[in-house]
Amino acid sequence: MSLNIAVVVGSIRKDSFNKQFADALVKLFPADVKVQFIRIDDLPLYSQDDDGNPAPQVTRLREEIKAASGVLFLTPEYNRSVPGVLKNAIDHASRPWGKSVWAGKPAAVAGVSVGAIGTALSQQHLRNILSYLAMPTLSGHEIFIQWKEGLVENGEIGPNSKEFVQGFANAFIDWVKKTA
């Protein structure tokens, strides 16, 4: 079974720590797993008024999520929650009511931050959202990482974190295979 993993990074900052981490993390997936990073920086603000006539960017987002076997979310933590740009993307793909493309998609949540607890609170908020959206979410493999020198080196997970992150990557791919 070929797996297509959609990766949604909740930070659109050019030098985003979460994007750097995501780029390195997906290199730990098996070679036969196809990865697609989902663009969210060009989406209009969600308005229910647009449900009947979505912008092309919204249609693209929905089609990319539909094609995915599973979804990996990487979220920074803004004010102890998920960034607005990430919530906006989630809202677009969950609407109109009854037509969510998230439902049933196996998911995992990760994130890095300069703070000592990583992105623990934003990840919990995101897990609550995903639960409501009927996305079976990997549990027991939480990955709250503080961004430090050496976490990502030359585009790869650094040696001090590689075994831990590899365990997360393996658990997520196994989860998608069991759940998709």
Side-chain angles (χ1 to χ4, degrees):
M1 174 179 166
S2 177
L3 294 183
N4 298 314
I5 302 298
V7 179
V8 181
V9 179
S11 173
I12 58 173
R13 185 172 67 89
K14 185 179 116 202
D15 295 321
S16 164
F17 295 139
N18 281 281
K19 177 66 165 78
Q20 291 176 57
F21 184 72
D23 286 338
L25 188 158
V26 300
K27 291 177 182 175
L28 301 176
F29 289 167
D32 62 338
V33 172
K34 182 182 172 201
V35 173
Q36 180 173 13
F37 281 83
I38 305 300
R39 184 172 181 192
I40 64 172
D41 67 328
D42 64 341
L43 297 171
L45 291 176
Y46 174 74
S47 171
Q48 190 175 8
D49 293 340
D50 300 327
D51 281 356
N53 188 27
Q57 302 93 318
V58 173
T59 300
R60 179 201 68 226
L61 168 72
R62 293 178 59 79
E63 292 303 316
E64 290 172 347
I65 299 303
K66 281 182 193 176
S69 309
V71 183
L72 174 62
F73 291 93
L74 286 103
T75 182
E77 188 164 298
Y78 294 177
N79 301 312
R80 303 287 190 231
S81 191
V82 297
V85 68
L86 178 57
K87 182 64 167 68
N88 187 55
I90 291 169
D91 290 347
H92 271 299
S94 71
R95 301 297 179 141
W97 179 255
K99 305 236 188 245
S100 174
V101 296
W102 302 114
K105 298 282 180 186
V109 177
V112 298
S113 171
V114 296
I117 63 170
T119 59
L121 296 174
S122 65
Q123 287 189 45
Q124 187 56 50
H125 283 184
L126 183 52
R127 287 174 184 279
N128 290 344
I129 294 165
L130 302 182
S131 175
Y132 176 77
L133 294 174
M135 294 185 79
T137 304
L138 178 67
S139 63
H141 295 277
E142 296 174 328
I143 190 162
F144 311 125
I145 296 181
Q146 185 177 21
W147 181 268
K148 290 185 178 181
E149 184 81 23
L151 176 61
V152 175
E153 296 178 349
N154 301 314
E156 306 281 336
I157 300 296
N160 293 339
S161 300
K162 190 166 187 173
E163 182 179 344
F164 176 69
V165 178
Q166 183 69 66
F168 173 83
N170 294 347
F172 174 56
I173 295 303
D174 289 345
W175 174 246
V176 174
K177 286 178 180 176
K178 289 178 196 170
T179 312

